[in-house]
């Protein structure tokens, strides 16, 4: 499990800069930069969909499914970083978020 911080304040699962989901999915295929990754679990907070963050306490240790093949933390499609951060404070869709902790194997 990975400790997850989230600055995507427009996500319905964000509560106190933490994620209320106990698992997320990070996409990005063969990304080479953080901007090529995104949180596929992002759901925009709207007037009709405000309260998923009321699902309980934020989950710091979170299971992170990782589809970013070239990330150094990806082992068998799971993130093995001790800590990650998902960024994109004003995102309206998942592709406007990013895994700010992504590290390319090519570096």
């Amino acid at each position: 499990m990975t400790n997850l911080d989230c600055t995507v304040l427009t996500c319905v699962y964000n509560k106190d800069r933490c994620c209320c989901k106990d698992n997320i999915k990070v996409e990005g295929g063969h990304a080479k930069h953080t901007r090529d990754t995104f949180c596929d679990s992002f759901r925009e907070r709207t007037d009709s969909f405000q309260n998923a963050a009321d699902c309980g306490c934020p989950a710091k240790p979170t299971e992170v499914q990782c589809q970013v093949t070239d990330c150094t933390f990806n082992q068998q499609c799971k993130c093995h970083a001790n800590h990650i951060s998902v960024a994109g404070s004003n995102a309206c869709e998942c592709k406007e978020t990013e895994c700010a902790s992504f590290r390319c194997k090519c570096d």
Side-chain angles (χ1 to χ4, degrees), residues 8-15 20 42-46 49-54:
V8 187
L9 303 178
T10 55
C11 182
V12 72
Y13 300 115
N14 186 302
K15 184 175 184 180
C20 286
F42 168 84
R43 297 295 172 266
E44 184 180 18
R45 188 181 308 244
T46 63
F49 196 51
Q50 285 272 352
N51 297 321
D54 292 335

Side-chain angles (χ1 to χ4, degrees), residues 25-98:
K25 185 176 187 181
V26 175
E27 294 279 354
H30 293 284
K32 301 296 182 211
H33 306 280
T34 58
R35 67 180 175 267
D36 301 327
T37 66
F38 62 93
C39 179
D40 195 48
S41 301
F42 168 84
R43 297 295 172 266
E44 184 180 18
R45 188 181 308 244
T46 63
D47 290 338
S48 61
F49 196 51
Q50 285 272 352
N51 297 321
D54 292 335
C55 60
C57 295
K60 268 291 194 186
T62 304
E63 181 178 318
V64 179
Q65 297 176 34
C66 182
Q67 303 302 313
V68 186
T69 308
D70 293 328
C71 183
T72 59
F73 302 118
N74 183 340
Q75 295 175 13
Q76 299 177 338
C77 296
K78 296 219 185 270
C79 180
H80 286 271
N82 290 328
H83 177 266
I84 68 167
S85 179
V86 175
S89 60
N90 295 315
C92 295
E93 59 183 52
C94 62
K95 293 208 175 182
E96 294 175 341
T97 67
E98 63 183 38

